[in-house]
Amino acid sequence: MYTETVRDYFLNPRNVGSLDHADGIGEVGNAKCGDVMKISIKVEDDRITDVRFETFGCAAAIASSSIATEMIKGKTLDEALQVTNRDVLNALGGLPAEKIHCSLLAEEGIRAAVEDYRSRMAESA
Amino acid sequence: MEQRRVYLDHSATTPVDDRVLEAMMPFFKGDFGNPNSIHAWGRRVREHVNGAREHVASLLGAEPREIIFTGGGSEADNLAIKGAAFALKARGKHVITSAIEHHAVLDTVKWLGENGFDVTILPVDAQGMVSPETFRNSLREDTVFATVMYANNEVGTVQPIAELGAICRERGILFHTDAVQAAGHIPIDVRTLPVDMLTLSAHKMYGPKGVGALYLRKGVRIPPLVHGGGQEFGLRSGTENTAGIVGFGEAALLALDRFENGDDEKERFLRDKLIDGIQARIDAVLLTGHRTQRLPFHASVCIEHIEGEAMLLRLDAVGIGASSGSACTSGSLDPSHVLLAMGLSHVTAHGSLRLSLGKDTTEADIDYVLDALPPVVETLRAMSPFGRK
């Protein structure tokens, strides 16, 4: 049911954890529905220099969040916001139909983390 | 070294016993006759079908005439429930079941509810047990039929079937129990157990898939689900699945042997070792189902802060086959209706894990699982935003 890439990112997830002194944190999903994704980012000069994730959820949710962290690391915030669930799906080689929402969660997680960073900046400005 | 493989999903299905397979083989080729034929080919097979009926009957203390072979447990449930409803609809329209039934029962009863019947779905307590008191209080003047499962597939709880059946008998209500998980694993004797109908499935007791049976007490009359050539005493038309039926008969005899040898005690010992071991090695674990009133081969827990499907795939990666009632394994957004009916929160229910042992499960298998499970849980908790760091 899962591609080799999904299995790989699920069994050997990259960028697990949370960053001390993160510049932005996005937490999306709903524990009741079985998926919660938390993405923390470090930002320097408008660029994501480091990123970590923590996910409560199934293999697809874990793999989606892990690959998403790789996809935005080193990108500018605007570039990161361009990453869509379609990109996450393609990177994973696809997900079963009933798991597509996991890739959407990754997209939302990235957006929430960037928005959190920007609102913190706006507050301190 | 080759990885150890431990199958602990016997509630889903069991392997066909070698002796069962051996008994079945002749009926695919040499003894291929149709048991309804009058010639030698047919007569020979008819004898074996009759023999199998005696064997399955003996597992329950029933008479052979009371065993109706079907195409599986779900079909037997449908035959019992729709048959009872159709037979009794002139007498009353109220039907009772429980919230933790298998979907083969629950969805069939709900379908009756959409087709002119009044349905009461009884709640269960935190252990997944139906209370005889609640059951009694739900009875109405027009209650004609009740169905409550013998033992639950997801949490292993064994219901007070004798008490529920006695209440039904007292009130003249037809009573069915789905004993798919229990038959062949817990001794059942319909000579003393007050049930009118009881469902069995061969593949849950080391027989083949695609064959089940309904025990139908003598004197109880229901119409068939499948009309046609009038096989199975007119209750299930269609040429008999002869190999499957013979295999079911053999599986029933082997189950009786296991009772005689006290094999269920061995299973119970390993089950308890597994449950106790999990609770000792992993924190924030909740046993689901009743601690003692449970199937001898069944262990089920909810592990907090992580999700079931992720657990299953990581266990699979180390050679362990298990199952879960999490939403991600059911293909819906909600976790198992059984766990929710027991009052568990969605979040806890998402972390459900079921380990169901088999007759060939060894203590070394259990030791392997007890070593393999904690690191799986730890890894997933380290990834979880809810995991304790």
Side-chain angles (χ1 to χ4, degrees):
Chain A
M1 68 187 264
Y2 286 131
T3 64
E4 272 311 306
T5 311
V6 174
R7 284 184 64 85
D8 178 36
Y9 275 84
F10 167 61
L11 292 173
N12 313 294
R14 285 68 143 173
N15 302 324
V16 176
S18 61
L19 292 169
D20 292 335
H21 314 295
D23 297 316
I25 295 175
E27 186 164 334
V28 293
N30 181 340
K32 196 180 169 200
C33 304
D35 299 298
V36 173
M37 195 178 289
K38 191 172 151 193
I39 290 186
S40 27
I41 53 174
K42 267 281 190 212
V43 181
E44 278 169 40
D45 298 334
D46 234 29
R47 195 172 285 278
I48 296 170
T49 55
D50 206 357
V51 50
R52 294 280 189 282
F53 82 91
E54 290 179 303
T55 294
F56 165 80
C58 62
I62 290 169
S64 296
S65 26
S66 178
I67 209 163
T69 59
E70 282 196 337
M71 293 168 74
I72 61 168
K73 194 169 172 177
K75 285 204 162 85
T76 65
L77 294 175
D78 284 337
E79 284 167 350
L81 288 175
Q82 305 280 309
V83 174
T84 66
N85 82 304
R86 184 56 51 194
D87 299 328
V88 173
L89 274 181
N90 288 340
L92 289 171
L95 282 174
E98 70 275 15
K99 303 284 189 180
I100 303 277
H101 71 275
C102 294
S103 62
L104 202 62
L105 207 60
E107 178 190 320
E108 289 167 3
I110 295 167
R111 179 159 306 138
V114 171
E115 277 166 10
D116 180 50
Y117 167 77
R118 285 186 167 162
S119 71
R120 289 188 197 188
M121 288 295 107
E123 270 173 39
S124 63
Chain B
M1 208 180 93
E2 204 174 306
Q3 186 183 52
R4 193 178 189 101
R5 284 165 57 81
V6 182
Y7 178 81
L8 289 186
D9 201 12
H10 292 83
S11 276
T13 195
T14 60
V16 171
D17 188 285
D18 286 344
R19 289 159 289 185
V20 169
L21 182 63
E22 201 179 314
M24 291 171 70
M25 288 311 280
F27 299 91
F28 290 106
K29 209 171 169 194
D31 288 326
F32 64 87
N34 184 327
N36 308 294
S37 301
I38 201 157
H39 46 59
W41 289 265
R43 290 199 309 272
R44 198 178 141 68
V45 176
R46 171 58 59 199
E47 272 179 40
H48 286 277
V49 169
N50 289 346
R53 197 182 309 281
E54 284 172 24
H55 298 157
V56 172
S58 69
L59 179 65
L60 302 175
E63 289 173 28
R65 175 67 180 76
E66 297 175 311
I67 300 298
I68 317 297
F69 287 116
T70 67
S74 292
E75 187 193 318
D77 284 337
N78 272 264
L79 171 61
I81 296 164
K82 292 173 184 168
F86 208 90
L88 300 169
K89 65 180 196 288
R91 262 184 47 204
K93 292 286 175 71
H94 185 227
V95 174
I96 298 172
T97 190
S98 86
I100 57 154
E101 298 298 310
H102 188 277
H103 284 295
V105 167
L106 199 54
D107 290 0
T108 308
V109 172
K110 284 180 179 169
W111 181 82
L112 291 181
E114 292 157 15
N115 287 277
F117 284 82
D118 263 356
V119 171
T120 296
I121 299 176
L122 295 175
V124 293
D125 66 16
Q127 278 72 49
M129 195 74 84
V130 173
S131 141
E133 216 31 60
T134 311
F135 182 84
R136 185 188 287 277
N137 292 338
S138 73
L139 300 180
R140 306 193 321 209
E141 275 303 304
D142 62 340
T143 307
V144 286
F145 174 65
T147 173
V148 175
M149 75 198 315
Y150 202 106
N152 183 266
N153 47 318
E154 292 187 40
V155 298
T157 299
V158 177
Q159 301 296 334
I161 293 302
E163 285 177 70
L164 302 179
I167 295 169
C168 286
R169 190 148 288 181
E170 200 181 287
R171 300 279 295 258
I173 294 163
L174 201 64
F175 185 57
H176 166 255
T177 184
D178 176 347
V180 161
Q181 291 288 326
H185 301 279
I186 299 177
I188 297 174
D189 191 337
V190 295
R191 285 168 297 196
T192 50
L193 188 72
V195 301
D196 300 305
M197 298 187 280
L198 180 147
T199 293
L200 306 100
S201 172
H203 80 102
K204 306 287 195 191
M205 45 181 279
Y206 310 100
K209 294 167 184 63
V211 59
L214 182 68
Y215 158 77
L216 182 66
R217 188 177 290 280
K218 197 164 60 183
V220 176
R221 305 187 83 82
I222 57 170
L225 201 59
V226 181
H227 293 81
Q231 288 88 346
E232 295 300 308
F233 317 110
L235 281 164
R236 206 285 187 173
S237 289
T239 299
E240 294 84 344
N241 171 6
T242 53
I245 287 170
V246 169
F248 194 1
E250 185 66 22
L253 291 184
L254 293 173
L256 284 170
D257 282 351
R258 286 196 299 278
F259 289 141
E260 208 145 293
N261 296 336
D263 287 8
D264 45 332
E265 273 312 311
K266 187 203 93 179
E267 229 170 28
R268 207 168 266 122
F269 167 76
L270 291 180
R271 173 200 72 184
D272 290 343
K273 177 170 180 169
L274 182 59
I275 292 173
D276 295 343
I278 289 173
Q279 290 188 316
R281 290 171 199 224
I282 302 172
D283 64 351
V285 169
L286 175 76
L287 175 78
T288 54
H290 201 282
R291 183 64 184 86
T292 52
Q293 296 296 108
R294 70 186 297 132
L295 291 165
F297 61 91
H298 195 290
S300 58
V301 291
C302 282
I303 301 184
E304 299 276 6
H305 315 308
I306 57 178
E307 192 277 331
E309 190 225 55
M311 241 187 305
L312 297 191
L313 283 172
R314 284 198 165 251
L315 287 171
D316 183 52
V318 294
I320 298 169
S323 70
S324 168
S326 85
C328 279
T329 53
S330 69
S332 78
L333 279 181
D334 284 325
S336 136
H337 67 288
V338 174
L339 300 175
L340 295 181
M342 286 160 55
L344 292 179
S345 73
H346 276 65
V347 184
T348 299
H350 284 305
S352 98
L353 178 68
R354 177 182 74 177
L355 300 162
S356 42
L357 289 64
K359 65 183 175 66
D360 299 321
T361 304
T362 63
E363 191 157 10
D365 290 334
I366 299 304
D367 289 335
Y368 178 72
V369 173
L370 287 175
D371 284 341
L373 182 60
V376 164
V377 171
E378 212 158 293
T379 308
L380 289 171
R381 279 184 176 168
M383 274 185 233
S384 165
F386 310 137
R388 265 170 270 156
K389 299 297 168 347

